[in-house]
Amino acid sequence: MATLQADFTLPLRAFALELALDVSGTVALVGPSGAGKTSVLRVIAGLLEPQRGRVSLDGERWLDSRTRVWVPPERRRVGLVFQDYALFPHLSVQANVAFGAGGRPVDALLERFRIGHLAAAHPQELSGGERQRVALARTLARDPAVLLLDEPLAALDAHTKTEVRHELAELLRELALPTLLVTHDYEDAAALADEVGVLVEGRLRQLGPPAELVARPRDAFVASFTGANLLRGRARRSDGALTAIRLESGEDLYSADEAEGDVGVVVYPWEVSVARTHAPDADSALNVVRGQVGSLVEVANRVRVRVGPVTAEVTAASAARLELADGGVAYATFKATGTRLVPL
Amino acid sequence: MFAAAAIAFAFLLFPIVAIFSRVSPGRLVAQLSRPVVTDALVLSLETSAIAQALVLLLGTPAAYLLATRRFRGRSLAVVLVELPLVLPPAVAGIGLIAAFGRFGLLGGTLDAFGIQLGLTQAAVVIAVAYVSSPLYVRQAIAAFEAVDTDLVAASRTLGAGPVRTFFRVVLPLARRGLAAGEALSFARGLGEFGATIMFAGSLQGVTQTLPLAIYQQFNVQPDGFTTALAMSALLVVVSGALLVALRVSLSWQPSRPTSRFLFAPSR
């Protein structure tokens, strides 16, 4: 597979976007809104000109500020799918898809994306999912060498999202194009990409396979962004192999990581057990947080529940058995080995 | 409050009603076949057509540039474009004479090329274009600014260069605003009086447009006033039709799928 290389500096309003990235396979950039994610795509597509930098696809140079190379967007072989799809409202679905096809027939593409029956319709008559399929078909009709997706799932409702995400993952695998997608949702990124980069205020905080970001988050932001619980505390060395952390709430927790001073305590919801009673002698989990049961959120076949400051993920059956919906006091327990420490 | 509204409304409509009620419709129509009227009508239509073609040809790129480029002095340029709108017509006329007249700034240069504008149809075209173009350009800037920049960007990434993008995306999406601006510009140009009479004069069949003919006829006895009324009625009808067309084009929703039948997508 080809490799897209981007390395540039682009001053934005509040900060400068500084990024060096190789894309081969699917890479997802995640980050809060305003982190500069969309600008990254625009620089690569040629819609924004950075102050300095290089963008190239294998040997093909699209931008090089030193040698004053700048290829306009229409001659970079990129397919950019816009966040709200940017379908042409004055053209039919068929004409939208054919726009960049250079006269090649697009019927097969329409069929492939199940929009053949909508060929004569106009974008404003379509549902969100249909619009996304039209946008993808239109982009692929151009026969791009690189695929850029801006928040591909953000405009969809929760119901269609899971299904579309699955379809999109399959499509990306099939296309085997260098793909860069940006999203504010870590779960989407993890589901779609081989590598995930966390972008905050124009800088990459960490880049790696989704599993690595979860296993070894480099800092507190990466940890909370990947969906972990983040508790603040002060670590002090203890005699044994474990580090003790005094939380702001006064409770003590233990971790197998070494640290000192102010730290973030990271634990993922699926590593937290919930019980109505707690018997320290009968539990291998060293860490216990006692708290009121708060809001319950259903996620597929699981339930996310808050116990004091900690979010736990349990099965729907457990949630029912423990009558979590009724509220009250519960204990969240997790093992010291599943408790990571990160700098704040 | 209602009384004030009624008075205002009556005040605005009364003169128009008066035009049609002074003389019977039959006599009005009969007056329209007099040479002074047909000459003026033909001249008005010809000069308007040429002037508006110029306005569209030069005003559209200018408006697009002002709408999409950010450069130093852009807001000043936008204000200057509108200046002729608020200029008294007499001042516009003097300005045109001082610029393009025989003894004007460019008069000598034009003379060298054998061009004399005074008392020619070309002078009428220049006067009409000068006073009417700002209405079009102003509306066109607004129409181009309203085009979603993401659609332009999408077109570019789909392989269309700036020119193709302009004709296939920007122009179709801005067409309603452009049509509205052009209707306003056309109406203003058709009624042009002050700058034309000063710069081009009022020669029947050469520079005498309908408004100039109305002014000239209303002093002529015995039938002149009736002729002036007939021409006025004609202009009222044309202006009214333009206004209706303008309203209809502006109230059209861009998202209505009905538009597909009017502007079939090119394939």
Side-chain angles (χ1 to χ4, degrees):
Chain A
M1 193 189 293
T3 305
L4 172 78
Q5 290 181 299
D7 176 1
F8 59 84
T9 306
L10 176 77
L12 297 176
R13 232 172 308 157
F15 51 82
L17 182 59
E18 265 184 77
L19 193 77
L21 193 65
D22 283 8
V23 180
S24 166
T26 302
V27 175
L29 287 181
V30 294
S33 47
K37 302 188 297 286
T38 297
S39 300
V40 175
L41 300 187
R42 285 178 179 255
V43 166
I44 293 170
L47 299 170
L48 277 176
E49 201 174 345
Q51 194 179 48
R52 57 128 225 117
R54 276 168 303 151
V55 175
S56 63
L57 178 72
D58 285 344
E60 203 177 311
R61 272 191 302 173
W62 290 344
L63 166 80
D64 192 335
S65 55
R66 269 186 318 184
T67 52
R68 296 181 177 268
V69 171
W70 191 79
V71 176
E74 62 269 22
R75 289 199 279 115
R76 300 182 183 199
R77 292 175 298 139
V78 298
L80 171 55
V81 178
F82 291 74
Q83 177 169 2
D84 42 16
Y85 310 134
L87 299 179
F88 302 121
H90 59 300
L91 299 180
S92 68
V93 165
Q94 154 98 29
N96 261 284
V97 175
F99 191 93
R104 288 184 298 271
V106 295
D107 298 342
L109 260 178
L110 294 180
E111 288 313 319
R112 177 179 180 187
F113 283 91
R114 309 192 314 278
I115 45 176
H117 62 294
L118 300 169
H122 277 230
Q124 49 276 18
E125 302 163 42
L126 307 181
S127 73
E130 289 166 345
R131 278 180 210 196
Q132 197 216 30
R133 297 208 296 274
V134 175
L136 279 167
R138 183 179 71 169
T139 303
L140 294 180
R142 208 238 141 144
D143 193 20
V146 170
L147 199 56
L148 306 173
L149 307 171
D150 192 354
E151 297 277 6
L153 303 168
L156 303 172
D157 54 67
H159 180 66
T160 26
K161 189 170 156 168
T162 327
E163 194 187 316
V164 173
R165 185 161 79 183
H166 183 73
E167 284 178 8
L168 189 58
E170 204 146 287
L171 177 72
L172 294 180
R173 215 176 5 257
E174 237 173 83
L175 291 172
L177 288 175
T179 301
L180 182 62
L181 65 94
V182 306
T183 167
H184 64 277
D185 188 326
Y186 180 76
E187 276 192 47
D188 291 345
L192 294 171
D194 311 319
E195 268 194 312
V196 178
V198 180
L199 190 72
V200 182
E201 292 192 334
R203 309 275 167 114
L204 262 187
R205 287 280 182 90
Q206 192 171 356
L207 176 69
E212 187 187 302
L213 264 62
V214 171
R216 282 180 294 281
R218 192 172 292 164
D219 61 26
F221 187 87
V222 174
S224 65
F225 207 83
T226 53
N229 286 293
L230 181 70
L231 307 168
R232 284 154 202 284
R234 207 173 164 76
R236 54 195 156 72
R237 283 184 173 283
S238 58
D239 317 330
L242 296 180
T243 305
I245 307 101
R246 171 71 48 92
L247 294 184
E248 283 161 352
S249 56
E251 283 153 308
D252 277 325
L253 295 180
Y254 301 92
S255 167
D257 289 359
E258 285 183 20
E260 240 176 318
D262 289 337
V263 291
V265 179
V266 172
V267 62
Y268 284 88
W270 52 88
E271 289 174 338
V272 180
S273 305
V274 179
R276 278 296 188 184
T277 57
H278 180 59
D281 302 340
D283 198 338
S284 74
L286 207 47
N287 293 325
V288 184
V289 174
R290 182 179 184 275
Q292 288 288 326
V293 174
S295 57
L296 266 66
V297 182
E298 280 185 50
V299 186
N301 58 348
R302 294 150 292 150
V303 174
R304 288 196 164 191
V305 58
R306 269 189 94 78
V307 176
V310 180
T311 299
E313 204 170 90
V314 297
T315 59
S318 302
R321 185 163 42 79
L322 294 171
E323 293 171 339
L324 293 178
D326 297 346
V329 172
Y331 296 87
T333 57
F334 42 97
K335 297 164 79 167
T337 48
T339 305
R340 269 143 293 207
L341 301 180
V342 294
L344 280 175
Chain B
M1 199 159 74
F2 287 111
I7 291 170
F9 196 66
F11 175 68
L12 291 177
L13 273 186
F14 193 56
I16 294 172
V17 174
I19 288 174
F20 288 94
S21 56
R22 278 290 295 268
V23 187
S24 73
R27 270 189 78 195
L28 281 184
V29 172
Q31 290 291 321
L32 292 180
S33 56
R34 292 188 55 195
V36 65
V37 178
T38 51
D39 282 356
L41 180 62
V42 168
L43 189 76
S44 266
L45 291 178
E46 263 179 29
T47 52
S48 279
I50 299 169
Q52 295 312 323
L54 286 174
V55 167
L56 287 173
L57 224 59
L58 299 176
T60 308
Y64 188 58
L65 200 75
L66 286 170
T68 54
R69 295 285 162 85
R70 293 289 170 267
F71 53 89
R72 260 172 180 277
R74 176 185 168 270
S75 21
L76 182 70
V78 172
V79 171
L80 288 179
V81 160
E82 294 186 356
L83 189 61
L85 270 185
V86 292
L87 224 50
V91 176
I94 286 288
L96 289 173
I97 291 169
F100 305 108
R102 192 167 212 183
F103 304 106
L105 288 180
L106 280 180
T109 318
L110 293 172
D111 233 8
F113 286 98
I115 302 169
Q116 290 204 355
L117 289 174
L119 305 182
T120 66
Q121 199 170 324
V124 180
V125 170
I126 288 176
V128 168
Y130 186 76
V131 297
S132 66
S133 58
L135 282 163
Y136 172 73
V137 173
R138 194 169 68 151
Q139 186 79 33
I141 290 174
F144 286 136
E145 278 177 342
V147 174
D148 185 351
T149 52
D150 270 359
L151 297 178
V152 176
S155 169
R156 297 293 299 276
T157 62
L158 288 169
V163 175
R164 188 154 176 258
T165 296
F166 180 79
F167 283 104
R168 289 213 52 201
V169 177
V170 177
L171 212 50
L173 290 173
R175 62 169 192 264
R176 218 159 276 116
L178 299 183
E182 177 45 34
L184 281 173
S185 172
F186 183 77
R188 173 73 183 85
L190 200 60
E192 215 312 291
F193 180 84
T196 310
I197 203 164
M198 291 182 75
F199 183 52
S202 181
L203 280 177
Q204 187 185 333
V206 183
T207 69
Q208 194 177 74
T209 58
L210 273 174
L212 300 187
I214 291 171
Y215 181 69
Q216 190 234 339
Q217 282 295 307
F218 108 100
N219 281 320
V220 176
Q221 296 301 330
D223 257 356
F225 189 67
T226 312
T227 310
L229 278 176
M231 287 188 280
S232 300
L234 183 65
L235 279 178
V236 168
V237 171
V238 172
S239 307
L242 275 173
L243 190 65
V244 170
L246 179 69
R247 285 281 150 193
V248 168
S249 80
L250 279 182
S251 62
W252 252 351
Q253 291 300 309
S255 57
R256 290 274 165 77
T258 47
S259 58
R260 105 171 62 135
F261 300 111
L262 290 166
F263 296 88
S266 48
R267 295 198 175 141

